[in-house]
Amino acid sequence: MPYELYYWDGLQGRGEFVRLVLEEAGADYVDIARGSNGMAAMMKLLKSKTEPNIPFAPPFLKDGELIVSHVANILFYLGPKLGLAPKDEALRFVANGLQLTITDFVAEVHDTHHPLATELYYEDQKEAAKQRSQAFIEHRIPKFMGYFERVLEQNPHGSKYAVGGDLTYVDLSLFQVFEGLRYAFPRATRTLGEHYPALAALHDRVEARPNIRKYLASGRRLDFNESGIFRHYPELDQDA
Ligand SMILES: N[C@@H](CCC(=O)N[C@@H](CS)C(=O)NCC(=O)O)C(=O)O
């Protein structure tokens, strides 16, 4: 039975972190909301008053009867099954810690364009978004990227991957973060690769993987857009 991925149609969003793992592994999966009546099926589950173990928000994954929610938790579940988690049990918790840090970072990326309220339009919080983005560019990108760079450099198994000696779901998520930042803040990230060479090399290594290459060239990989987490609003980027 294929895995069922539930996520909003029309954007990469947080669902993309899960898609990259399923695609790299060549797993059998269905992107439910992109199929006919898929959105209705997803909303039915989200709003259900009778189903057990309902999720709060997408993305969530259905594996048979089991529903797993939250990106980091989904990857913690899928990683070992798809050969994309460390083999060492203890290192799986290290990978989970890294993924949860990525979750925190993604929430901060979201808050650059929605600093006041998720429910308000971007246009209604533009001034606050400018202030938030300026601080994000100045302090948070360097702090998080500097941290992930050190994680790579200080990996006792070598700096090719974030944890252990092989590719894991964390590496795929770091690829997505690198891509997303460059899309959202092209001016501020002009020199990202120079400042964080290990991360840049990891990004290129992931991008060159055959299944990822195939996926990125396919129609399943939607372009970044201004409905997702990583949005490009020129006025939020660093001044030219
Ligand atoms: N911590 C969750 C966050 C999930 C989340 O915020 N999902 C968004 C879409 S990317 C959503 O639909 N949120 C609805 C809401 O917060 O009301 C995760 O990492 O999966």
Side-chain angles (χ1 to χ4, degrees):
M1 190 140 73
Y3 292 112
E4 293 183 353
L5 169 63
Y6 289 77
Y7 192 69
W8 305 113
D9 188 20
L11 58 149
Q12 292 184 12
R14 288 181 170 91
E16 199 64 14
F17 295 98
V18 182
R19 270 185 214 104
L20 283 168
V21 165
L22 293 165
E23 293 282 346
E24 165 60 27
D28 189 12
Y29 80 100
V30 186
D31 212 323
I32 293 291
R34 292 186 188 169
S36 66
N37 297 325
M39 276 300 286
M42 183 167 96
M43 294 318 290
K44 191 169 166 222
L45 244 173
L46 283 170
K47 293 194 183 308
S48 166
K49 291 197 161 63
T50 52
E51 287 282 332
N53 307 324
I54 49 168
F56 174 73
F60 56 93
L61 183 89
K62 253 188 113 192
D63 183 7
E65 288 306 301
L66 177 68
I67 297 177
V68 186
S69 61
H70 287 270
V71 172
N73 195 37
I74 297 169
L75 301 188
F76 191 67
Y77 175 76
L78 281 180
K81 292 181 187 298
L82 300 180
L84 286 167
K87 284 176 196 68
D88 181 289
E89 187 88 39
L91 282 185
R92 288 192 185 162
F93 292 96
V94 175
N96 191 39
L98 289 168
Q99 195 64 44
L100 288 165
T101 308
I102 293 171
T103 297
D104 290 346
F105 186 61
V106 167
E108 292 200 24
V109 174
H110 168 272
D111 291 350
T112 59
H113 47 79
H114 278 77
L116 299 182
T118 302
E119 290 71 24
L120 286 177
Y121 288 114
Y122 164 64
E123 285 68 25
D124 298 330
Q125 44 191 321
K126 216 164 162 175
E127 285 314 308
K130 281 185 193 164
Q131 275 187 41
R132 184 68 185 247
S133 297
Q134 203 183 328
F136 178 77
I137 288 167
E138 200 172 322
H139 303 291
R140 304 306 279 172
I141 293 181
K143 185 158 185 179
F144 276 92
M145 292 303 105
Y147 167 70
F148 290 122
E149 182 76 8
R150 281 188 290 127
V151 165
L152 286 165
E153 281 170 356
Q154 293 167 213
N155 181 354
H157 300 268
S159 61
K160 268 178 86 173
Y161 303 111
V163 48
D166 299 297
L167 181 87
T168 68
Y169 59 78
V170 176
D171 302 308
L172 299 173
S173 292
L174 288 174
F175 160 81
Q176 177 67 5
V177 164
F178 203 86
E179 283 280 295
L181 283 180
R182 289 197 308 191
Y183 170 77
F185 304 103
R187 290 197 295 268
T189 57
R190 236 180 346 230
T191 54
L192 202 65
E194 287 162 40
H195 285 116
Y196 311 107
L199 264 178
L202 172 66
H203 166 274
D204 295 352
R205 205 173 296 120
V206 168
E207 192 176 39
R209 293 184 72 86
N211 281 357
I212 295 295
R213 263 226 313 267
K214 237 187 286 168
Y215 169 58
L216 295 178
S218 77
R220 300 188 299 286
R221 170 75 168 190
L222 301 184
D223 290 338
F224 285 105
N225 62 34
E226 282 52 67
S227 303
I229 294 288
F230 295 98
R231 301 187 184 188
H232 178 54
Y233 296 121
E235 62 276 17
L236 300 188
D237 199 356
Q238 199 171 56
D239 290 336

